[in-house]
Amino acid sequence: MITEIAQIEVQPGQEQEFEEAVAEALPHFLAADGCHGVDLLRGVEHPSRYRLTVRWETVEHHTVTFRASEGFARWRALAEPYFAVAPQVEHVHSVLAP
Protein backbone atom coordinates (compact mmCIF):
# COMPACT_ATOMS: atom_id res chain seq x y z
CA MET A 1 0.00 0.00 0.00
CA ILE A 2 1.26 3.45 -1.00
CA THR A 3 0.10 6.77 0.44
CA GLU A 4 0.13 9.85 -1.74
CA ILE A 5 0.63 13.03 0.27
CA ALA A 6 -0.15 16.26 -1.53
CA GLN A 7 0.65 19.51 0.25
CA ILE A 8 -1.77 22.08 -1.08
CA GLU A 9 -1.54 25.80 -0.37
CA VAL A 10 -4.91 27.45 -0.90
CA GLN A 11 -5.47 31.12 -1.60
CA PRO A 12 -6.30 32.77 1.75
CA GLY A 13 -10.01 33.34 2.13
CA GLN A 14 -10.85 30.46 -0.25
CA GLU A 15 -10.57 27.61 2.26
CA GLN A 16 -14.30 26.85 2.52
CA GLU A 17 -14.73 26.79 -1.25
CA PHE A 18 -11.69 24.52 -1.62
CA GLU A 19 -13.04 22.09 0.98
CA GLU A 20 -16.37 22.01 -0.86
CA ALA A 21 -14.56 21.33 -4.14
CA VAL A 22 -12.64 18.43 -2.61
CA ALA A 23 -15.87 17.00 -1.16
CA GLU A 24 -17.41 17.17 -4.65
CA ALA A 25 -14.34 15.47 -6.15
CA LEU A 26 -14.22 12.72 -3.52
CA PRO A 27 -16.37 10.21 -5.48
CA HIS A 28 -13.92 10.45 -8.40
CA PHE A 29 -11.06 9.35 -6.14
CA LEU A 30 -13.05 6.59 -4.49
CA ALA A 31 -14.17 5.20 -7.88
CA ALA A 32 -10.60 5.10 -9.18
CA ASP A 33 -8.98 1.73 -9.72
CA GLY A 34 -6.57 1.04 -6.86
CA CYS A 35 -7.83 3.77 -4.51
CA HIS A 36 -8.34 2.64 -0.92
CA GLY A 37 -9.35 5.90 0.75
CA VAL A 38 -8.87 9.64 0.92
CA ASP A 39 -8.49 12.19 3.69
CA LEU A 40 -8.09 15.96 3.70
CA LEU A 41 -6.21 17.51 6.60
CA ARG A 42 -6.13 21.25 7.33
CA GLY A 43 -3.25 22.97 9.08
CA VAL A 44 -3.84 24.45 12.51
CA GLU A 45 -0.93 26.88 12.47
CA HIS A 46 -1.33 27.50 8.72
CA PRO A 47 -5.06 27.24 7.96
CA SER A 48 -4.55 27.76 4.22
CA ARG A 49 -2.28 24.69 4.07
CA TYR A 50 -3.79 21.26 3.48
CA ARG A 51 -2.53 17.71 3.15
CA LEU A 52 -4.54 15.49 0.86
CA THR A 53 -3.72 11.85 1.55
CA VAL A 54 -4.81 9.08 -0.78
CA ARG A 55 -4.10 5.40 -0.23
CA TRP A 56 -3.26 3.56 -3.46
CA GLU A 57 -2.43 -0.08 -4.18
CA THR A 58 0.64 1.04 -6.15
CA VAL A 59 2.29 4.28 -7.25
CA GLU A 60 1.18 3.48 -10.80
CA HIS A 61 -2.48 3.40 -9.74
CA HIS A 62 -2.00 7.10 -8.96
CA THR A 63 0.55 8.29 -11.50
CA VAL A 64 -0.64 6.31 -14.52
CA THR A 65 -4.19 5.03 -14.07
CA PHE A 66 -5.77 7.88 -12.10
CA ARG A 67 -3.91 10.72 -13.77
CA ALA A 68 -5.09 9.50 -17.18
CA SER A 69 -8.72 9.35 -16.04
CA GLU A 70 -11.70 11.64 -16.35
CA GLY A 71 -11.87 11.57 -12.54
CA PHE A 72 -8.46 13.23 -12.30
CA ALA A 73 -9.47 15.86 -14.86
CA ARG A 74 -12.62 16.59 -12.85
CA TRP A 75 -10.64 16.77 -9.57
CA ARG A 76 -8.24 19.30 -11.07
CA ALA A 77 -11.04 21.36 -12.60
CA LEU A 78 -12.77 21.57 -9.23
CA ALA A 79 -9.74 22.21 -7.00
CA GLU A 80 -7.17 24.02 -9.12
CA PRO A 81 -8.85 27.45 -9.04
CA TYR A 82 -8.12 27.59 -5.30
CA PHE A 83 -4.42 26.62 -5.45
CA ALA A 84 -2.05 29.41 -4.42
CA VAL A 85 0.86 27.41 -5.89
CA ALA A 86 1.20 24.01 -7.53
CA PRO A 87 0.75 21.16 -5.02
CA GLN A 88 3.81 19.26 -3.83
CA VAL A 89 3.20 15.53 -4.11
CA GLU A 90 5.14 12.58 -2.75
CA HIS A 91 4.48 8.89 -2.27
CA VAL A 92 5.32 7.09 0.97
CA HIS A 93 4.91 3.65 2.45
CA SER A 94 4.78 2.50 6.03
CA VAL A 95 7.92 0.97 7.47
CA LEU A 96 6.01 -0.26 10.53
CA ALA A 97 3.15 -2.08 8.81
CA PRO A 98 3.71 -5.78 8.12
Side-chain angles (χ1 to χ4, degrees), residues 7 10 14-15 22 24 27 30 34-35 43 56 60 71-72 82 84 92:
Q7 179 172 301
V10 173
Q14 299 291 302
E15 295 86 359
V22 174
E24 188 175 339
L30 296 176
C35 180
W56 297 102
E60 291 76 19
F72 178 77
Y82 305 105
V92 299

Side-chain angles (χ1 to χ4, degrees), residues 25-55:
L26 184 61
H28 297 289
F29 282 98
L30 296 176
D33 185 39
C35 180
H36 290 271
V38 179
D39 198 5
L40 182 65
L41 308 166
R42 185 175 182 184
V44 173
E45 291 82 8
H46 303 281
S48 294
R49 182 176 298 155
Y50 292 83
R51 301 294 191 301
L52 176 73
T53 62
V54 186
R55 291 181 308 285

